[in-house]
Structures are given as C-alpha cells and as structure tokens.
Amino acid sequence: MTKRKSNALVFMTIGLVLAIVFYQNSAFPKNPEAYFKPEYYNQFGPIAICIELLIAGIYLFQGHKKSNFALALFAFTALLDPIFNLVGLFGSNVPVYAAFIFVVCAIWSLYLAFSNTYNLGRISLLEVLGSFILGVIIELSFNYIYQFL
C-alpha cells in the first residue's frame, strides 16, 4: 500500500470514528419546536468537520485531482475553530481531545496540499482562497451566525 493510501486511510478512520462519537453525543429533542432553534444545529459543527476530513481522505485515497482542495478546506475549517475560540468570537463545540486531533490532521493536511506531495495537481491561489473562504463560512454558520437569528 502506498503512503498516499495509508494517509488517506488514517484520515478516513479518524473522520469516521469522531463523527460517530459526535453523533452519539447529539441531542434529538422530542419537542418539534426545538428543531427550529439555532442551538440545535450548532451541535452538528464538529460532525461537519469530520465529514470534511472523511471526504478529503476519500479523495486522497482515490488520487482525485481535487484532493488538495479538499485537504485545504478541511484544514482551514479545523484550524479556524480553535482560533475563533481563542480570539473569543465564539465558544467551540469541539472537545479538547478532538480539537487536538483536528489540529494535528489539519497541519498535516496543509503540508500535503501545499507541497503537492503525491503529484495530484498543485493547488492554485484561487483554490486556496476559495477553501479558506468556504472554511470561514462553514465555521461561522455553525457557531456564530445563529446568534443573530
């Protein structure tokens, strides 16, 4: 098995395991009105980060040409969560152990994406900006925008 597929399997495993853990800790109220409150959707932010990691791992496993974009998108989203938390913009819903795992995976993902380690196509400046902006939008949609509703 190649190093690319090994890295992809690690990313997919981490993403899947953490998504299951976060899903099991999700609250599904019996009151239908609770489903229309922003606080309900806020709990799915960590699951969204896991799904991004899982998709990036799948792309990397397949050797898809957009895997570097997916890796950068995951990395920016995963890094912005603790950064926004440290700045005081919002409180993070990601537990400390998962935040540490995400940060390690994000740094490794950024290295893989920007160095084009597996020759999957260099990531362009437009793709970097797009993945960063999309990462900001994802983070803010799960953690900050709901406060204005």
Side-chain angles (χ1 to χ4, degrees), residues 5-143:
K5 289 186 178 183
S6 298
N7 280 327
L9 286 174
V10 168
F11 286 156
M12 289 188 294
T13 303
I14 291 171
L16 189 61
V17 168
L18 287 178
I20 291 170
V21 168
F22 294 143
Y23 180 76
Q24 289 177 341
N25 292 331
S26 298
F28 298 99
K30 297 186 190 248
N31 182 4
E33 292 176 6
Y35 288 102
F36 298 103
K37 294 186 178 181
E39 294 84 15
Y40 170 74
Y41 298 102
N42 192 20
Q43 69 183 342
F44 296 111
I47 296 174
I49 298 173
C50 292
I51 291 171
E52 287 179 3
L53 180 59
L54 183 65
I55 291 171
I58 291 170
Y59 275 170
L60 188 60
F61 188 83
Q62 294 174 345
H64 196 275
K65 65 179 182 174
K66 290 296 181 183
S67 60
N68 286 338
F69 175 79
L71 287 168
L73 175 62
F74 157 73
F76 288 132
T77 306
L79 289 174
L80 286 171
D81 188 72
I83 289 172
F84 286 164
N85 188 22
L86 287 174
V87 170
L89 192 57
F90 57 79
S92 177
N93 287 336
V94 179
V96 174
Y97 70 90
F100 178 75
I101 293 170
F102 283 153
V103 166
V104 170
C105 289
I107 292 170
W108 185 245
S109 294
L110 283 177
Y111 171 75
L112 292 176
F114 291 146
S115 68
N116 194 23
T117 304
Y118 300 118
N119 297 321
L120 298 172
R122 299 219 25 107
I123 189 166
S124 69
L125 181 60
L126 185 62
E127 288 176 324
V128 170
L129 289 174
S131 62
F132 179 76
I133 291 170
L134 195 54
V136 169
I137 290 170
I138 290 169
E139 267 309 302
L140 292 179
S141 67
F142 280 107
N143 295 301

